[in-house]
Each structure stands twice: as C-alpha cells, then as structure tokens.
Amino acid sequence: MDSMVGIPISTYLKYFGGRWNRTDLQLVLESDSIENIDNATDEAIGVFRAIRKIPPGQPNNFYIATNDQLMDTFGEFTSYLTTFIGLITGISLLVAGIGIANIMLVSLNERIKEIGIRRL
C-alpha cells in the first residue's frame, strides 16, 4: 500500500494518456445503490471490453472483483486457516497426552515395589 497512488481517471488520462501502458492499473468503481451492483458490473465489463477491443466470445483479459467476491475469498482463507490451526492443536494435544501417559507409566513402574510392600 505504500507504493499505491489514488487519482481520478480524468487526471490519469490528462497526464499519462496512452503513453503509460501499465498492467497493474486498478480502477475502483462505485455503484449508486446495492441493487444496481450487477448492472454496474455488467456495464463496466462492456466498457472495458470495448476499450480493450476484445472480440465477442474471447475471455476477458481483465479482472473485476466485487466486495462479495473478496469476502468469499477471505472467508475461504479463514476456513483453511481454522482447519490448519485445529489440526495443529489436535496433534499437540495427542503428543502431550502421550507424554503425560509416559511420565505416569514411568512413575508407576518406579513405585510398583513400594506399593506392593505397603499392601502386604
């Protein structure tokens, strides 16, 4: 984020025009309401395809991400992270249980004669 600059598209076109052909250009578009998100997305896809001269039937050479898609991606990442942490926790508990059982067995084996003598 330190090397990111946000400027209006009109300013970008005024100063850079077609000279600065960068592949990491990111445009942030905003819809006037949540109900019009799909229409705005379809319109943006149409405009970008026309600007980039993509023939019909060809795949898009750009990516459009909505907040819902970003939230789904983040949710998927956190579910993988939760599964990973749960797996590590389960392995840790298993190893700790084996260690405690081993210590108890050693303690019992060391005191078995003493326990037998007291029982008589």
Side-chain angles (χ1 to χ4, degrees), residues 17-113:
R19 295 177 302 157
W20 197 38
N21 190 9
R22 303 256 331 213
T23 58
D24 59 350
L25 178 65
Q26 180 181 3
L27 299 176
V28 178
L29 306 175
E30 186 177 318
S31 176
D32 56 355
S33 70
I34 194 72
E35 291 83 24
N36 294 334
I37 279 272
D38 292 331
N39 294 336
T41 303
D42 292 340
E43 185 176 342
I45 289 172
V47 169
F48 292 152
R49 287 182 67 86
I51 289 172
R52 291 175 167 249
K53 299 179 177 113
I54 301 172
Q58 295 292 323
N60 294 336
N61 59 2
F62 56 88
Y63 178 72
I64 292 184
T66 62
N67 285 345
D68 292 336
Q69 291 169 333
L70 295 175
M71 285 177 30
D72 289 343
T73 302
F74 184 72
E76 185 177 335
F77 171 73
T78 54
S79 69
Y80 287 139
L81 187 62
T82 303
T83 303
F84 177 72
I85 290 174
L87 184 65
I88 295 298
T89 303
I91 291 171
S92 299
L93 287 173
L94 180 67
V95 169
I98 291 171
I100 290 172
N102 191 20
I103 290 172
M104 290 174 65
L105 182 64
V106 168
S107 296
L108 180 66
N109 284 338
E110 288 177 354
R111 297 187 61 192
I112 206 158
K113 292 178 188 172

